[in-house]
């Protein structure tokens, strides 16, 4: 029996906690939704990352250290994990890991944060042939199921990737306001996708994590998962090709970044599973400051 | 053209097939070792990359063609293409003595004979040639020799003498000291004696090469005898027969009339034919060259070795192709080195 995926996520998060207070992540996640409830419950100590406007200044003045207002009956939010489980996800990421593993880690970290806030977590995943959706529920066992779903379907024998199919599925089938966490790769954005995202952005909060794809300029004769064609990376070593490649990749990244900026969607990139927790932290941070 | 090891070809074909099959299998299984990556169009869509791939493909094609040629050429060479032929090796072991009647009536024929042999001597390789001139006495100008330079020089000198040039007249000195003139029997006997002795004769020197050498005398004379020779023509002919010398007689002045065997031309003919030689009537000195060529050919064909089957490997062309394609292959692989 392999170790549970949630367990792996938790251990990764605890490593991160050595460097930054884990509460910070919680605080960052907690402030993703504004105005959650007005039913005051009690006060708790401020942890970095909490929304400054939640600080009860009077109580703080009395107490001597910052205190945060807590509210009862916080409405359960829904975190919807959206990812691609097509063939692209079985490919190699920038630092040599499978992109799938990084995706599972990222989904797990945010899913786990949501569970700790007693939110429910759902999943929409799939490929160009269609999407599967798993209903939003709480509990680590459910999160484990979601992660296994992603882990099991993203393989080299999976159909080709097409993130638009998953995003359309979300747009079609979910009426309520949710937090969407999209994990994708270095796709090339187009106007249709941008319009679709604009439509989703109007309804939901969107967090976006990009998994950086392998650098094709390196030697090692990789093959393209899309058509099994061997890429002649040794040719990319020549000066003209590597310069053109650098320019093309920069343009592609700029096109994606431009789209996210126009849509006001917070986006970060991660090239390995070690980068996932810091990336999500800065993603939440950026999302908070983003507007 | 045939292949000695023809079975190399099917064997090579089978091996090439196996190699191609194995290579294809390796290539197909190759993706298991390779890194899968997504969005390969980041690289493949670049025109620079496409140009590089085209260039690479071109060199790869050159390399494949060169390798194919190299293998094919080497296989063909390994199968030993050979030409099988029957050869009668010509032997250059003839001894020829020019026996020229130096009397005045003969000078134009002598000149033609000398000139022809001057030219022939340039192509000789192993043949020996000697020159004896006679009138009333015989003078051996030079004995049998293969020093062709000297021969050519002497023959040139002889020709000038026969052509009547005054400063070369000394060449004929010593030919008319005896009694009479045109003592043909004596002259011919001198010529016969200028061959080395054969083993059967007394005083013969055991000489390895002289045994198998063909002997012939080109005798240019009109057979008009005046005086008393020591040897008659018939005796000299018998001497020649005994020594195994064939006489080819050239007669520029055969004025025989009727079938009388006592006439000079008929006598000469009978002597020449007794020695298995030949008799040629010379109507025109220009015909000498043709006659001598035919004599040479007869002599050459008489002394040819037994026919032998010769198998000559002809691997030059495939090996040259292999060398060229090997060079191209080396160049292309140098060009393609990653």
């Amino acid at each position: 029996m392999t170790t549970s995926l949630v367990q792996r996520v938790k251990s990764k998060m605890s490593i991160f906690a050595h460097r930054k207070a884990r509460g910070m992540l919680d605080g960052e996640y907690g402030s993703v939704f504004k105005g959650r409830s007005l039913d005051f419950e009690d006060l708790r100590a401020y942890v970095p990352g909490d929304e400054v406007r939640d600080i009860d200044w009077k109580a703080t003045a009395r107490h001597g250290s910052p205190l945060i207002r807590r509210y009862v009956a916080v409405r359960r939010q829904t975190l919807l994990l959206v990812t691609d489980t097509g063939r692209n996800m079985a490919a190699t990421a920038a630092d040599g890991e499978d992109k799938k593993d990084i995706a599972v880690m990222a989904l797990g970290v945010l899913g786990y944060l949501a569970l700790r806030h007693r939110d429910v977590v759902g999943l929409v995943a799939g490929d160009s042939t269609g999407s599967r959706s798993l209903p939003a529920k709480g509990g680590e066992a459910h999160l484990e199921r979601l992660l296994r779903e992603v882990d099991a379907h993203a393989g080299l024998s999976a159909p080709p990737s097409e993130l638009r199919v998953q995003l359309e599925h979300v747009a079609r089938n979910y009426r309520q306001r949710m937090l969407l966490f999209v994990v994708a790769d270095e796709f090339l954005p187009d106007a249709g996708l941008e319009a679709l995202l604009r439509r989703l952005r109007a309804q939901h909060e969107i967090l976006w994590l990009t998994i950086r794809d392998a650098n094709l300029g390196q030697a090692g004769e990789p093959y393209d998962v899309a058509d099994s064609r061997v890429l002649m990376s040794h040719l990319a070593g020549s000066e003209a090709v590597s310069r053109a490649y650098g320019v093309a990749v920069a343009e592609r990244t700029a096109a994606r970044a431009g789209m996210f900026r126009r849509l006001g969607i917070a986006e970060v990139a991660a090239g390995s599973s070690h980068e996932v927790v810091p990336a999500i932290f800065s993603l939440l941070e950026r999302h908070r400051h983003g507007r | 053209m045939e292949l000695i090891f023809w079975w190399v070809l099917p064997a090579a074909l089978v091996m090439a097939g196996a190699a191609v099959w194995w290579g294809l299998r390796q290539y197909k299984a190759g993706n298991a070792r390779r890194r899968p990556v997504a969005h390969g169009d980041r690289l493949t869509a670049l025109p620079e990359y496409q140009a590089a791939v085209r260039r690479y493909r071109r060199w790869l094609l050159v390399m494949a063609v060169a390798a194919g040629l190299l293998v094919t050429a080497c296989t063909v060479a390994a199968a030993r293409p050979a030409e099988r032929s029957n050869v009668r090796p010509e032997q250059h072991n003839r001894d020829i003595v020019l026996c020229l009647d130096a009397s005045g009536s003969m000078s134009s024929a002598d000149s033609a004979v000398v000139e022809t042999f001057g030219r022939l001597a340039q192509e000789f390789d192993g043949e020996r040639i000697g020159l004896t001139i006679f009138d009333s006495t015989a003078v051996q100008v030079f004995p049998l020799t293969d020093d062709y330079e000297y021969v050519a020089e002497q023959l040139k000198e002889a020709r000038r003498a026969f052509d009547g040039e005054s400063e070369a007249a000394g060449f004929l000195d010593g030919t008319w000291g005896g009694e009479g003139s045109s003592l043909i029997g004596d002259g011919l006997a001198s010529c016969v004696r200028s061959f080395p002795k054969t083993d059967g004769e007394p005083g013969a020197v055991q000489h390895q090469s002289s045994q198998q050498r063909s002997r012939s005398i080109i005798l240019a004379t009109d057979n008009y005898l005046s005086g008393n020779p020591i040897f008659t023509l018939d005796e000299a002919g018998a001497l020649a027969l005994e020594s195994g010398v064939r006489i080819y007689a050239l007669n520029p002045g055969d004025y025989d009339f009727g079938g009388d065997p006592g006439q000079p031309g008929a006598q000469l003919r009978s002597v020449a034919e007794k020695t298995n030689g030949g008799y040629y009537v010379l109507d025109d000195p220009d015909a000498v060259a043709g006659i001598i060529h035919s004599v040479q050919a007869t002599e050459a064909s008489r002394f040819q070795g037994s026919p032998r089957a010769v198998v000559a490997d002809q691997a030059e062309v495939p090996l040259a192709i292999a060398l060229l394609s090997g060079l191209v292959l080396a160049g292309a692989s140098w060009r393609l080195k990653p």
Side-chain angles (χ1 to χ4, degrees), chain B residues 12-287:
Chain B
L13 216 61
V14 168
M15 278 167 71
V20 166
W21 174 77
W22 186 79
L24 278 181
R25 214 186 55 161
Q26 286 294 103
Y27 180 78
K28 278 181 186 155
N31 275 357
R33 295 182 276 106
R34 295 193 183 99
R35 239 164 13 117
V37 294
H39 300 298
D41 55 327
R42 284 176 296 161
L43 185 62
T44 53
L46 298 175
E48 287 86 352
Y49 174 81
Q50 286 164 359
V53 166
R54 270 197 300 277
R55 225 168 19 247
Y56 183 80
R57 291 244 165 90
R58 225 159 25 228
W59 278 107
L60 218 56
L61 184 71
V62 167
M63 220 164 132
V65 168
L69 260 180
L70 178 64
V71 168
T72 310
C74 283
T75 308
V76 169
R80 288 189 63 192
E83 191 80 58
R84 194 188 292 273
S85 54
N86 288 324
V87 169
R88 294 170 67 94
E90 189 178 336
Q91 292 175 337
H92 296 276
N93 55 357
R94 306 193 294 268
D95 286 347
I96 302 159
V97 168
L98 309 182
C99 202
L100 307 179
D101 184 344
S103 61
S105 59
M106 289 296 299
S107 55
S108 63
D110 287 344
S111 171
V113 169
V114 164
E115 195 216 334
T116 307
F117 270 92
R119 255 186 290 112
L120 280 179
Q122 287 164 6
E123 294 156 23
F124 281 174
D125 176 27
E127 290 90 344
R128 290 189 298 184
I129 187 167
L131 175 61
T132 298
I133 52 178
F134 63 90
D135 195 348
S136 56
T137 56
V139 172
Q140 188 175 46
V141 180
F142 54 89
L144 283 171
T145 177
D146 54 4
D147 182 352
Y148 303 122
E149 209 176 310
Y150 175 73
V151 167
E153 189 187 303
Q154 288 298 311
L155 291 179
K156 210 166 140 195
E157 188 73 11
R159 181 163 180 231
R160 284 169 62 200
F162 291 129
D163 284 348
E165 289 179 30
S166 53
E167 66 265 37
F171 187 81
L172 303 175
D173 282 357
T175 55
W176 56 79
E179 294 187 8
S181 81
S182 290
L183 302 182
I184 290 138
D186 291 359
L188 182 57
S190 297
C191 294
V192 170
R193 299 311 285 187
S194 67
F195 286 101
K197 292 191 164 99
T198 52
D199 293 341
E201 295 174 280
V205 182
Q206 192 65 35
H207 199 279
Q208 199 67 39
S209 62
S210 68
Q211 290 179 352
Q212 294 104 21
R213 300 184 76 87
S214 98
R215 304 167 151 202
S216 52
I217 287 174
I218 308 289
L219 173 62
T221 181
D222 51 10
N223 201 20
Y224 279 103
L225 184 70
S226 57
N228 278 323
I230 300 165
F231 283 90
T232 63
L233 185 60
D234 283 338
E235 282 165 348
L239 205 60
L241 192 61
E242 194 183 303
S243 303
V245 177
R246 276 184 298 284
I247 295 168
Y248 294 93
L250 310 182
N251 188 352
D254 188 346
Y255 303 117
D256 286 7
F257 186 76
D260 181 6
Q263 295 179 97
Q267 280 178 352
L268 199 53
R269 177 190 291 272
S270 81
V271 166
E273 283 172 358
K274 251 185 242 165
T275 60
N276 288 324
Y279 174 78
Y280 303 91
V281 175
L282 262 189
D283 294 330
D284 174 10
D286 292 344

